Amino acid sequence: MNTRENYPRRAEQALSPLSAEAADTCARCGFCKIHCPTYPFGGGFETYSPRARLHFLRAYCQGREKLTPEWVDRLYRCTSCERCEAVCQTGIPLVRLWEDIRAESVRRGLGPMPAHKRVREMAEKFGNPYGEDPSRQTHWLTPEHTPAPEAETLLFGGCTGTYKMPGMLRTGVAVLSRLGFAFTYAGGEECCCASPLLRTGQVDAALSLIARNLDLFARRKTRLIITPCGGCSKTLKKDYPLYARRLGKPFDIQVMHFSELYVRLLREGGLKPSRPVDKTVTFHDPCHLGRSQGLFREPREILAAIPGLRLTEMPGNREASRCCGAGGGVKANYPQMAGDIARDRLREAEATGADCLVTMCPFCMGSFKQAIEESGSSIQLCGLEELLWASLE
Amino acid sequence: MNAQEEFRQVFGPAVSFDRQIMDSYDHDAGEMPRALMSLVRRRPDMVVLARSREDVARALDLARKYGLPLTPRGQATSGYGGSIPARGGIVLDLCSFNALLRLDVPNSWADVEPGIVWEELSRALAPHGLDNRVCPTSAPSSTVGGWFSMGGMGIGSFAYGSFLDNVLEIDVLAFDGTLHTLSGGDAALFYQTCGALGIVVRLRLACRAAGTPFTPAVSLPDASGVIRFLDLAGRDLPVYSACVQSAGYCELRARAEGKAPPISSGFMVSLALLGAADGGSVAALASGCGGSLLDEAVGRATWADRYYPMRLKKAGPSLLAGESVIPFDGFAGAWEDLRKTLGADGFGLEAHAVRGRRLAVLTYCLDNARDFLYPLRLAKALIPLRVAARHGGGPYASGMWLAALARSLYGKEKYRRALAFKRRTDDGDLLNPGTLEGPRLPFTPFNLSRCLLAGARIAAPVAARLTCANTRLDRRQEDRP
């Protein structure tokens, strides 16, 4: 059948003009292909590489290629880890292009993938992608947590931290409560930050969640948002200002990941780790924390402040850190591939000889927890918050 | 059983006939106009992933049995069309055939499979105190076998010459299935032939002792000063690698990166020195050539960015790139000619110095491939080659598009031997067809490569008068959504 229904009506319609123009600068050097964590799972064919995806995208924008279900599937096999962007010779905003074309596939009814549709249904019904009852949102709180009824600082727990990996959130907030840091918490009212929907191209559903959160921030007169989640902090920092403008809502709020906040408190002298923690650890830079926000130094500064702790780096660290496999909707729809990527990274961590793999993102924690269970690895896994807590008198 | 069924039976999931997968293998790094691409049948009929020499042998057997053209492919980071399947058939993807087979640390050599990536090889050698002697600037992605097939000079060539000078031995599978273990001049026969004579399945590479180089950079006022400096540096300093960048190149790079260029006129020469040397001795040599030592940070940054020469394409979106080899003695004259011809485009020149007083030169003009006059302006990319020839130089590589230059690239004797070997082992020209002599222009008896070169020669005077359509000078970032 010769149909043009899945061709863009005119060149660049699928992408913003600057994105399409940036795509034209591709040098076809293949640096992205070598570093992509999902490319090896395409059986070795070039077609599964970011370079081939971009080649397709250019042809599609010029009306020479059709968006097929096979291509849509390939476009969703990306964890949005930004490694391709980090090594790109011409600095093409590749992840933005992947997100744009995913949104285009949703507009055309070809995307998202089945698991992403379920995520959307859950998010629309329950306000979180896991289908958890929002009345359970405060279940992680313990008596030692002391959120104030009103404060300029709002704790944004994030869905994964709240429902799936509450240990990180519980301990991280306990550190703040111990220091008497004033914050408020909107347990029961907080919605998903919309990251899973934005990354999978479901922009309309994302907008509705963003609008609800923006209203919440306005009601609470929030000046600063703190969050333990890499994905939430990236979305709140990078996407919310733009979508707030589109929604005509204010968003004049500073966003801090826990790592930034702890470093600030360390430097101000409020946070004083003093009890030795006799461990050798290796640190996994979460993609959305490191490459997305440039937060490489902060976690290491916290680790260095903990007495007795020894940090041994993996070969892939900081900008060159490898993905845990969970992002971009990959874990939801391609769990086998996500698991393989996580186990690969786990092997890299084990090879350092460290006792413990440390990270600062509940999404990465969840990914590695499963990988450790499945592989029977003996390496411990913990959030940096837990090490920090252990070092406090 | 037909060909497709037999390929499936032999290679299982490592063969694909999917049209969408074929489309990823119908091009290389070159940005050719579509009209030109349509003159070669570039979409393969199947892609086979080879993971071992047995896979390569099996693919050759089946190609022979069914009379199918077979084009070997590495990472396709070159723009000469050498990995474009000009007659369709089979593309043999060698990227997964990439092991480090054997390492002899005392004698400093490594046996590798052709699909190994340069930078990964460097990482694998490092724990043994070794490193690559030479590598291309595309080292983070390009393969050892790919560079052998295209030929090359690059990082490290000042001390160690071309890649061929550092290949001690190769195993090649010819199209007739025979295996040849070769060294010296016999191995050289296969160098730069794009795999048209056989597929290299093992290379023994000479390695150097690993070490972190001292990387100063100097500014020099003119091309003569550059050559004088390179000669003196070669005599007095432990130079491992030397890279020359014109002020135009620095300006284009700086524009792409949003930085201030390190020099505003003349040339910058950045050195990588392995051995005892200090900034003072480099400064003294530069001063004697009318130049000066640049800030240490400039040299460090230039070395750190050595794998990113294409970064300037960010300010493009397209590039007209011309490549050639020019002897030291012809460089000043060639530079004047290039300035006269391409000066209006604010072109950039980057060159790596090569043992034997040669420069492997790349010239860049920013352009826009979507502009309707781009195909005409493409003739500009061949101007540096003609300039080089006028000053004692020649082509850097030939591939498929410039296959008509193979004779001048290889030299008469090698070309004669290559043709004889080809006739003996592959008389139907099925192994990477068209890369020794050039593919035919469809429906004509004419040679496409000769036609291209003739067309470029005729179009060059007009092309030289057309200013490039560079559209990304102002790269204001928009906000999404």
Side-chain angles (χ1 to χ4, degrees), chain A residues 12 16 18 21 24 26 28-29 33 43 46-47 51 64-65 68 74 87 96 242 245-246, chain B residues 20 23-25 28 30-31 34 49 51 75 141 308 311 313 370 472 476 478-481:
Chain A
E12 285 123 15
S16 67
L18 268 183
E21 204 183 309
D24 274 353
C26 176
R28 301 184 188 175
C29 62
K33 175 183 171 184
E46 167 83 23
T47 319
R51 176 169 69 171
R64 290 186 285 112
E65 277 290 353
T68 61
R74 281 184 209 114
V87 297
R96 177 171 158 173
L242 305 173
R245 209 177 306 155
R246 179 156 150 187
Chain B
Q20 293 175 14
D23 284 347
S24 306
Y25 290 88
D28 63 3
E31 200 162 6
R34 264 184 288 149
L49 306 176
R51 295 197 166 89
Q75 294 283 5
S141 64
Y308 281 78
R311 197 169 266 167
K313 196 170 184 286
R370 290 204 193 185
R472 287 174 65 83
R476 278 171 302 180
E478 62 161 3
D479 283 337
R480 193 176 57 158

Side-chain angles (χ1 to χ4, degrees), chain B residues 41-368:
Chain B
R41 187 193 161 192
R42 60 191 199 282
R43 184 187 291 152
D45 301 303
M46 70 179 91
V47 175
V48 174
L49 306 176
R51 295 197 166 89
S52 63
R53 67 166 64 193
E54 289 73 27
D55 283 349
V56 175
R58 279 191 282 266
L60 289 171
D61 285 347
L62 291 177
R64 236 178 15 251
K65 178 176 174 183
Y66 290 102
L68 290 168
L70 186 147
T71 304
R73 188 182 196 265
Q75 294 283 5
T77 54
S78 166
Y80 287 87
S83 57
I84 294 177
R87 274 169 48 197
I90 309 158
V91 164
L92 191 64
D93 184 331
L94 296 159
C95 294
S96 309
F97 182 20
N98 57 12
L100 168 58
L101 297 167
R102 196 174 155 205
L103 194 55
D104 185 329
V105 177
N107 292 305
S108 297
W109 58 254
D111 274 351
V112 299
E113 289 175 345
I116 196 164
V117 167
W118 282 103
E119 197 175 45
E120 286 171 4
L121 176 58
S122 173
R123 273 200 292 271
L125 294 174
H128 306 280
L130 296 176
D131 205 342
N132 298 319
R133 280 183 167 188
V134 292
C135 72
T137 53
S138 55
S141 64
S142 61
T143 63
V144 168
W147 212 36
F148 185 82
S149 300
M150 287 309 301
M153 307 157 191
I155 295 159
S157 285
F158 191 101
Y160 294 108
S162 74
F163 180 32
L164 180 65
D165 299 330
N166 299 284
V167 177
L168 304 175
E169 189 178 275
I170 56 169
D171 286 348
V172 193
L173 272 168
F175 193 70
D176 62 3
T178 52
L179 178 69
H180 306 259
T181 297
L182 306 163
S183 58
D186 293 331
L189 179 66
F190 292 80
Y191 181 68
Q192 290 187 310
T193 57
C194 302
L197 302 183
I199 297 176
V200 178
V201 292
R202 178 186 64 91
L203 299 99
R204 177 164 295 172
L205 307 180
C207 304
R208 68 173 170 93
T212 307
F214 169 51
T215 54
V218 302
S219 70
L220 293 154
D222 52 36
S224 313
V226 167
I227 297 305
R228 214 162 44 248
F229 176 77
L230 288 173
D231 277 334
L232 291 172
R235 190 192 67 191
D236 297 346
L237 299 169
V239 182
Y240 162 61
S241 194
C243 178
V244 180
Q245 294 174 350
S246 71
Y249 178 88
C250 294
E251 160 66 21
L252 294 176
R253 269 288 285 263
R255 192 192 296 170
E257 293 168 353
K259 295 178 186 167
I263 55 169
S264 54
S265 64
F267 293 86
M268 176 170 80
V269 176
S270 51
L271 300 174
L273 306 174
L274 285 168
D278 57 47
S281 52
V282 179
L285 288 186
S287 169
C289 303
S292 60
L293 183 69
L294 292 167
D295 190 276
E296 212 172 289
V298 172
R300 266 204 311 271
T302 309
W303 178 251
D305 282 349
R306 64 196 181 280
Y307 299 142
Y308 281 78
M310 300 289 275
R311 197 169 266 167
L312 51 85
K313 196 170 184 286
K314 186 177 179 181
S318 311
L319 270 185
L320 293 174
E323 216 165 3
S324 59
V325 178
I326 301 175
F328 274 15
D329 296 334
F331 181 62
W335 171 249
E336 278 312 308
D337 283 1
L338 286 171
R339 251 173 26 130
K340 279 179 206 154
T341 329
L342 301 174
D345 287 314
F347 77 105
L349 177 147
E350 186 189 42
H352 280 92
V354 183
R355 192 174 66 191
R357 301 188 76 243
R358 290 170 294 163
L359 285 163
V361 178
L362 263 162
T363 51
Y364 299 103
C365 297
L366 295 179
D367 206 328
N368 184 357

